[in-house]
């Protein structure tokens, strides 16, 4: 027989030639029926999927810890609406994140009541209502005793929860951004004008804790840089013994007073050559209240509004929450409970 070549191709098979014999291990599809065909397809898919490696597969994520924003509390009628507006902005920035509010005093809901009402969702690990996880984010601006003592104590008194306390809102560039914006809204002119030189008094509530005063001083330095070198002096709302007139109960020296007060800081800037009309006051206050009003009333020039629901402040609250989540320093409830985030 001559081998096929380019000039002599192999002959086409005869139409009458018998088709190849079927694979004895594969039954004809027509004989399987609908149920059998489905079974064969499932078996084939299962066989093939066993050879596939699922890179990056993740089990469904557990519900995120609840964010509990902790405000100081105030009887001022504008305080609660301002805090609620801030929380609404936080929820809009992070849809699906459970966000709650608790007050340390003077306003409801109190933090203890908020924590008592939190329970694990029904689909969480363990029986529903047994244990939940929270992050307390203080709407406070330094490491005072509320942050370092009161908040951890509130968590310790809520045994059905595991959680941690985030760092206070200051010092941080996002806080400075919000302060800067409120000062410009109030009319602060950062460049020389009419021969004047602008300056700022940064007012805070004050604390016995030395670290809190350092936090305020650092925020003042950051704000000065953001304002292009405008002098910024830290000051405190609590009257100091040197400036509180005797017999004035409203201005009686406080055991948590810290010098200088706002008037003292203003006098220092005047002594340095700043005209009073060029001296603005900005407050490290999340909402209107007694201290915020007092400091604004003492401003000889522009008085910045409380920070309220400024977008930078809302982002800062979420940033502190995220920091606390990523700073787990131990395992189990006790390790989580003990993790208080540093700046």
């Amino acid at each position: 027989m001559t081998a096929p070549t380019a000039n002599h191709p192999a002959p086409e098979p005869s139409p009458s030639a018998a088709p190849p014999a079927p694979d004895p291990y594969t039954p004809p599809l027509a004989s399987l029926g609908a149920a059998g065909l489905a079974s064969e397809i499932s078996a084939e898919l299962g066989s093939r999927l066993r050879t596939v490696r699922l890179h990056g597969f993740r089990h469904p994520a557990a519900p995120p810890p609840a964010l509990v924003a902790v405000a100081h509390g105030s009887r001022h009628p504008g305080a609660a609406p301002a805090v609620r507006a801030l929380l609404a902005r936080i929820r809009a920035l992070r849809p699906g994140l459970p966000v709650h509010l608790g007050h340390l005093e003077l306003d409801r809901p109190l933090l203890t009541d908020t924590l008592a009402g939190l329970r694990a969702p029904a689909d969480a690990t363990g029986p529903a209502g047994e244990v939940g996880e929270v992050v307390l984010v203080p709407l406070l601006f330094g490491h005072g005793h509320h942050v370092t003592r009161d908040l951890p104590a509130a968590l310790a008194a809520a045994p059905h929860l595991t959680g941690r306390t985030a760092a206070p809102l200051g010092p941080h560039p996002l806080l400075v951004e919000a302060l800067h914006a409120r000062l410009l809204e109030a009319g602060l002119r950062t460049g020389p004008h009419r021969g004047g030189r602008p300056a700022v008094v940064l007012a805070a509530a004050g604390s016995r804790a030395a670290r809190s005063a350092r936090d305020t001083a650092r925020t003042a330095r950051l704000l000065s840089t953001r304002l292009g070198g405008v002098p910024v002096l830290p000051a405190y709302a609590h009257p100091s013994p040197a400036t509180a007139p005797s017999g004035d109960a409203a201005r009686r020296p406080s055991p948590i007073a810290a010098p200088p007060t706002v008037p003292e800081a203003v006098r220092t800037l005047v002594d340095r050559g700043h005209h009073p009309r060029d001296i603005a006051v900005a407050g490290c206050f999340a909402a209107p209240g007694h201290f915020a009003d007092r400091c604004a009333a003492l401003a000889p020039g522009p008085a910045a509004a409380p920070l309220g629901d400024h977008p930078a402040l809302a982002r800062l609250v979420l940033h502190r929450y995220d920091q606390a989540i990523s700073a787990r320093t131990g395992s189990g409830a006790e390790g989580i409970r003990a993790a208080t985030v540093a700046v």
Side-chain angles (χ1 to χ4, degrees), residues 35-284:
L37 181 59
S39 178
E40 284 293 314
I41 293 173
S42 297
E44 180 66 14
L45 285 174
S47 174
R48 291 178 181 271
L49 287 174
R50 281 194 294 269
T51 68
V52 176
R53 298 184 64 185
L54 300 179
H55 296 284
F57 173 78
R58 295 182 180 179
H59 291 286
L67 187 161
V68 178
V70 183
H72 182 276
S74 171
R75 296 187 181 93
H76 192 291
V83 173
R84 287 197 298 267
L86 175 61
L87 266 60
R89 190 176 290 276
I90 292 168
R91 293 186 182 102
L93 288 172
R94 188 77 58 90
L97 175 66
V99 178
H100 305 274
L101 173 64
H103 296 90
L104 290 166
E105 56 184 68
L106 301 178
D107 209 345
R108 297 191 180 278
L110 291 173
L111 176 60
T112 52
D113 296 333
T114 297
L115 296 181
L118 291 177
R119 293 292 187 273
D123 57 352
T125 302
E130 180 180 306
V131 174
E133 189 174 356
V134 299
V135 174
L136 305 187
V137 182
L139 303 183
L140 306 169
F141 299 91
H143 287 82
H145 291 307
H146 283 319
V147 172
T148 59
R149 295 185 183 180
D150 295 344
L151 269 61
L155 274 178
H160 62 288
L161 296 173
T162 59
R164 59 199 73 94
T165 299
L169 300 182
H172 194 275
L174 284 171
L175 170 59
V176 169
E177 198 62 33
L179 289 166
H180 176 264
R182 292 292 189 242
L183 281 166
L184 297 187
E185 292 169 2
L188 176 70
R189 300 177 65 176
T190 57
H193 58 284
R194 296 174 300 170
R197 294 185 298 123
V200 174
V201 174
L202 180 64
S207 172
R208 287 187 300 268
R211 186 177 179 186
S212 180
R214 293 196 297 269
D215 290 339
T216 305
R218 184 180 171 194
T219 299
R221 292 193 297 271
L222 292 172
L223 181 58
S224 175
T225 300
R226 181 66 180 85
L227 290 168
V230 168
V232 179
L233 293 186
Y236 302 93
H238 282 287
S240 68
T243 59
S246 60
D248 186 349
R251 301 186 60 203
R252 187 169 53 249
S254 166
I256 61 173
T261 63
V262 172
E264 289 171 338
V266 169
R267 284 196 295 271
T268 297
L269 290 170
V270 170
D271 291 343
R272 293 178 183 178
H274 296 274
H275 193 281
R277 67 169 177 261
D278 298 321
I279 300 173
V281 172
C284 284

